[in-house]
Amino acid sequence: MASNQQAGPGIGNLAKDTTNGRIGVVMAMIGGRVQLRPINGGTEWDAKPDKVVALRARDELSARLAIRNGNSRTGL
């Protein structure tokens, strides 16, 4: 990989699909696509690798806090 290229987020990391603004967990990279799953579970979707970006620390914290708050409301 050239030094001016950045690798996308790795499997298990939170990422944002810039096509639709959705945040998910990177589950796999198959057939030239990145598979993302919603952070609170659900059906995976495919995204183009060049449209998937790693979350900034602030955005990741916000997403994880939203999950925690949702779980506390449902008793999980």
Side-chain angles (χ1 to χ4, degrees):
M1 177 172 14
S3 61
N4 62 348
Q5 292 179 338
Q6 292 183 353
I11 294 174
N13 292 353
L14 287 178
K16 182 175 186 176
D17 180 351
T18 60
T19 303
N20 55 25
R22 293 174 70 188
I23 295 174
V25 179
V26 177
M27 301 304 292
M29 295 174 196
I30 300 174
R33 297 288 185 156
V34 177
Q35 290 187 328
L36 297 158
R37 177 174 288 161
I39 53 178
N40 55 349
T43 304
E44 294 177 4
W45 76 94
D46 290 340
K48 293 180 180 178
D50 62 333
K51 299 295 182 183
V52 176
V53 296
L55 290 183
R56 296 177 308 186
R58 178 181 174 177
D59 295 331
E60 183 170 346
L61 179 60
S62 179
R64 291 187 185 280
L65 183 59
I67 294 168
R68 190 64 83 95
N69 287 340
N71 288 344
S72 68
R73 283 190 290 274
T74 60
L76 296 176

